[in-house]
Amino acid sequence: MLLGKPLILVTEQQIRINPILNNLKLLHRYSGFQSLTPLQYKLLELIKSFGMIRIVKIIQSQKSSEGEVLASVLGLISHGFIDTDLINSNFGIQSSVWLANE
């Protein structure tokens, strides 16, 4: 356990199942080391106030484009700030997000 996070072994057989594989590829694109943007801070506050919210509702409430919101949400997921269901459906604007358990 490094940095307080458990290491989970994922086999090739487990990740070759879609939608998991597609979702993990998408998250990998947004996993670079970067500081949080002002939009991401706003999104964290919004998600915190709702508990769980669909991304489409976030897009409707912000003055940012769909692409900006999706990229910001993916960055927050990849850095462990928020969670979504990556196993049962492809990630998109109908996905729900919530604060990650610490």
Side-chain angles (χ1 to χ4, degrees), residues 31-48:
S31 65
F33 295 107
Q34 59 193 27
S35 56
L36 293 182
T37 66
L39 177 58
Q40 286 174 318
Y41 281 113
K42 281 175 50 175
L43 297 182
L44 280 173
E45 287 300 315
L46 183 67
I47 294 165
K48 182 179 178 180

Side-chain angles (χ1 to χ4, degrees), residues 16-40:
R16 292 222 177 258
I17 300 169
N18 279 315
I20 299 169
L21 179 59
N22 289 338
N23 288 335
L24 292 176
K25 285 179 184 179
L26 191 58
L27 280 180
H28 179 67
R29 285 187 214 140
Y30 292 90
S31 65
F33 295 107
Q34 59 193 27
S35 56
L36 293 182
T37 66
L39 177 58
Q40 286 174 318

Side-chain angles (χ1 to χ4, degrees), residues 5-15 20 24:
K5 300 286 183 178
L7 179 63
I8 300 171
L9 176 65
V10 179
T11 67
E12 187 173 338
Q13 183 180 9
Q14 290 171 306
I15 66 169
I20 299 169
L24 292 176

